[in-house]
Amino acid sequence: MQWQTFLDAVNCKLRNGRIFQEIKRNRRSECEVMSYLIGDPDVRKLMLLWLQEQLQSRESKSSSKAKQLKDLGNKEFQRKNYASSIPLYTKSAQYAVADELSIAIANRSAALYYMDNFKDCLKDIDLAINIGYPKKLLYKLYIRNAQCYIKLKNRVMAEVAIEKVEEIVNACNEISAEKKDDIFKEVSLLKSLASNLENIAENDSSRTQLCQRPDVAFESNANFPFASAALDCKYTPQKGRHVIANRDIQKGQVLFVEKPFAFVVLDQNDSSSFCRHCCHPYGAVPIPCKTCVGTLYCSSECLDNAWSGYHKWECPGAQMRMGQQIGIAHLSLKVLLVGSTTEDKERFNEVQKLVTNIDKVSPDDLLVYGITAVMLTMYLSMYTDFFTTVDLKKSFADKFIDSSIDFNCDVTTESGKQLYVSSFLLRHTLQLICNGHAITKLSLDAQENDKVATVHQERIATGIYPAVSMMNHSCDPNIINSFDDQYLIVKATKDIPAGGEVFNCYGPHFRRTPRDERQEILRNQYCFTCTCEACTNPELQYFLERFSSLKCLECSGAVFKISGSLSCFDCGATPALNHNSELREAQNLFDAAHVCIEMENDDEALNKLKQCLNIRRSILYKHHQDIINTLDLIGKVYAISGRWLDSISYLEHVITGIGERFGTDSIELANELNKITDICLPYLQEETNTRTKQYKNALKKTRRFLDHAKQIMDLNYGPWNSGFQEIEKKAQQLSAILRNFNI
Ligand SMILES: [Zn+2]
Ligand SMILES: [Zn+2]
Ligand SMILES: [Zn+2]
Ligand SMILES: [Zn+2]
């Protein structure tokens, strides 16, 4: 049974019982809550049932499965379908036992070689050698190794590999003399190929330099790890801990670069291809855990560090597919495990001190988190050696700098130990509810009917960042978060004066979520009432409503229905507007235009859209979403028919509207700017009459659009992301045009 279903049933049962009443009354600490649950025989019996069921359905390594998958891979390989053979070899490696693993990896390296992916091929060859590829076949891998380096024009490394082949073949008595002759023939061929190379190893240092992770502005902060020296962490009773600028900070400066204390990759789907230890995308060449099937890493180093740091206790759970079922509790287990092995005392304490809101969360939620903590504690004691190998005093109690936040448990008894560990699990779950941080990746996707790629953020993992967690929330923050693998990079998006507070946005942003909805989200998940500028300033209170407002006839401002009657946000007039029939007519024209576009009747579509635009402009607020959509479609139709300049003139209005709504530094605006330059560049390249004023104007505009888009991408994500690089490419195209133009 799925954990969530099981948990609901258990929760239902317990909610009418004594334990729940106790928890409702007494919940001063995690330890107090857990003391009602961890020793209760009924709760334990239920958890035992579920755990035993999971154990039975666990997924283990399987020689036969590995062989089956490898054979499928070989079939694809023989058909020269190298790309489809690679995931099959990876799957085979995941199930492989002993020798089979190195063989699956070696086969994968062959497929990579034929796909000209020499870098990954070399990586797999190394890996296969290190994990015990059969000795008598080893020469094959070194031959491939030499071939890769020859392709990469790296003479020195190719010669090293060739020497290795000779050495192995000479020393190996399992290879027949005849076979040896064949091999040496191949070796001499490789030698002559290598000797013809000038040693120009591919040099991509310029690229790595561009992609280097940034440092914090000014210098790093001795008292506030991972933060810039420009920040102080302060405490007041009303604000709790919060972050203040101790000097003037400029927009764009990097304020934090933080590695998470722990994180877990979301694995709802098998396609999430990020290393479970460092969050780096592992591409075609992941390395599976030696014991479980589903956990993949980018390198042997990550595999080893994960194993000794926490995975040895997490691995049986991975086989039982627990991670996919228990949600945020998976991360709380990992925080506990990393906490037990970490040697960084200060960091350990930063985590322990994070807010739990134990007195504010609902008792129902507390009960659910508590039950999960019981299950995980029993899991650790039944299926791992955690309780027998970890000295709880050394691994936890001794690490506390402030012992008042430690739990008061007798860890000399078995039940005391379980109470202690389960209290940590409950604490971390509570902390993660309000401090867990989504780790996102920027992804480019080309939408249908749209040649233009747009970028959006995709959540790939959840992590805990104790330093960044010190920032309070605002619905109009002055920083932005971005990620480089697991590292969280925080940049200022506004100038922040000395003494000003630095605000993060916990999720609901005033440009994306209406005020009442924001307030509710923040109360429910973070247990506070937001009093930020955007929530309290009357001018900003109905910010989002503007974009679905009517036009005020007095002042052209925005008229919106507030508690039943229409009024103007800008001049206070209370007009009795009724435009229902016009709105319907405009919508009909808009729909009809779509039909025309489908029938490729562009002129008729434009005709209808312009009528629609006229109506909408006469009655709707100037940045109304429907006006923007109409302008956007007109721009698109002009672009389809190659009337670039007309297209540009309409899309410019879209840019103004999007900037108004999402902000001039928003990724939404960058997407629009990117789109318009996709129209500008073909015009500039195709137009033969380059002496006109229009042409010169378009040149100037294009440069402005590209500069702005680049600036937004840099601020939001830094120069290492693909969106930035795409714009960079366009900027180069523009410079080529300008060069021809002699400007
Ligand atoms: Zn890794
Ligand atoms: Zn494992
Ligand atoms: Zn707010
Ligand atoms: Zn007005």
Side-chain angles (χ1 to χ4, degrees), residues 158 223 673:
N223 305 315
L673 288 162

Side-chain angles (χ1 to χ4, degrees), residues 473-476 508 510 515 518-519 522 528-536:
H473 164 87
S474 165
C475 302
D476 182 15
F510 87 108
R515 180 177 175 274
R518 298 200 304 266
Q519 292 270 328
L522 293 166
F528 72 94
T529 303
C530 187
T531 55
C532 79
E533 173 84 5
C535 284
T536 49

Side-chain angles (χ1 to χ4, degrees), residues 93 101-106 108-109 120-133 138 141-142 145 284-288 290 297-301 303-304:
L101 176 61
S102 64
I103 290 171
I105 301 287
R108 191 170 71 182
S109 79
D120 283 344
C121 176
L122 286 169
K123 202 177 150 198
D124 264 358
I125 292 173
D126 265 355
L127 178 63
I129 293 170
N130 286 331
I131 54 180
Y133 192 67
L138 214 46
L141 286 185
Y142 280 104
N145 191 306
V285 287
I287 303 170
K290 287 178 185 132
Y297 300 100
C298 74
S299 65
S300 316
E301 201 189 348
L303 183 148
D304 292 340

Side-chain angles (χ1 to χ4, degrees), residues 65-346:
K65 247 188 179 161
K67 186 174 178 311
Q68 205 185 348
L69 286 157
K70 188 189 72 183
D71 291 345
L72 286 174
N74 287 346
K75 248 186 214 154
E76 294 297 323
F77 185 90
Q78 278 146 18
R79 290 191 198 126
K80 296 196 165 59
N81 294 334
Y82 304 118
S84 10
S85 73
I86 288 174
L88 289 164
Y89 288 138
T90 298
K91 271 265 169 232
S92 169
Q94 285 178 255
Y95 286 100
V97 190
D99 271 3
E100 298 161 353
L101 176 61
S102 64
I103 290 171
I105 301 287
N107 286 5
R108 191 170 71 182
S109 79
L112 289 161
Y113 177 80
Y114 287 108
M115 290 180 72
D116 290 347
N117 184 347
F118 304 118
K119 240 174 86 190
D120 283 344
C121 176
L122 286 169
K123 202 177 150 198
D124 264 358
I125 292 173
D126 265 355
L127 178 63
I129 293 170
N130 286 331
I131 54 180
Y133 192 67
K135 274 224 168 61
K136 61 174 180 187
L137 298 173
L138 214 46
Y139 72 90
K140 285 190 178 179
L141 286 185
Y142 280 104
I143 288 177
R144 192 172 301 138
N145 191 306
Q147 288 168 329
C148 275
Y149 282 119
I150 288 169
K151 293 276 190 188
L152 292 170
K153 298 193 173 26
N154 188 333
R155 178 172 160 181
V156 174
M157 290 307 286
E159 283 172 349
V160 170
I162 294 166
E163 240 170 72
K164 195 78 191 166
V165 177
E166 289 178 310
E167 187 190 313
I168 292 167
V169 174
N170 281 327
C172 185
N173 17 0
E174 283 175 78
I175 305 173
S176 69
E178 214 175 314
K179 182 80 196 161
K180 281 187 182 179
D181 278 347
D182 287 347
I183 297 170
F184 286 131
K185 265 179 216 151
E186 199 170 350
V187 165
S188 61
L189 182 68
L190 289 173
K191 271 185 179 166
S192 77
L193 284 172
S195 64
N196 286 331
L197 294 174
E198 291 166 58
N199 195 15
I200 41 164
E202 232 176 66
N203 187 349
D204 55 2
S205 62
S206 56
R207 228 193 103 251
T208 27
Q209 215 159 42
L210 179 75
C211 300
Q212 220 164 44
R213 196 173 305 129
D215 286 324
V216 289
F218 305 102
E219 55 199 318
S220 49
N221 193 322
N223 305 315
F224 190 5
F226 302 99
S228 152
L231 304 179
D232 288 330
C233 184
K234 300 264 181 176
Y235 175 85
T236 63
Q238 312 115 292
K239 283 175 175 262
R241 286 192 288 173
H242 58 284
V243 177
I244 297 289
N246 60 31
R247 63 194 81 175
D248 290 346
I249 290 170
Q250 277 163 13
K251 174 176 166 179
Q253 285 187 314
V254 177
L255 303 181
F256 291 90
V257 177
E258 186 173 14
K259 191 181 169 186
F261 183 75
F263 73 89
V264 292
V265 172
L266 304 177
D267 41 9
Q268 257 80 16
N269 48 359
D270 282 339
S271 60
S272 48
S273 50
F274 300 95
C275 175
R276 295 308 191 256
H277 186 66
C278 74
C279 216
H280 188 67
Y282 48 61
V285 287
I287 303 170
C289 169
K290 287 178 185 132
T291 315
C292 66
V293 174
T295 309
L296 295 163
Y297 300 100
C298 74
S299 65
S300 316
E301 201 189 348
C302 278
L303 183 148
D304 292 340
N305 290 337
W307 184 262
S308 57
Y310 51 86
H311 188 67
K312 57 185 163 185
W313 300 304
E314 188 195 45
C315 189
Q319 294 168 45
M320 291 151 69
R321 296 176 179 281
M322 229 157 63
Q324 287 102 310
Q325 301 188 52
I326 61 175
I328 198 75
H330 182 200
L331 182 51
S332 93
L333 174 66
K334 193 156 165 189
V335 173
L336 170 91
L337 299 175
V338 173
S340 76
T341 55
T342 185
E343 277 159 24
D344 188 341
K345 256 192 188 179
E346 228 162 276

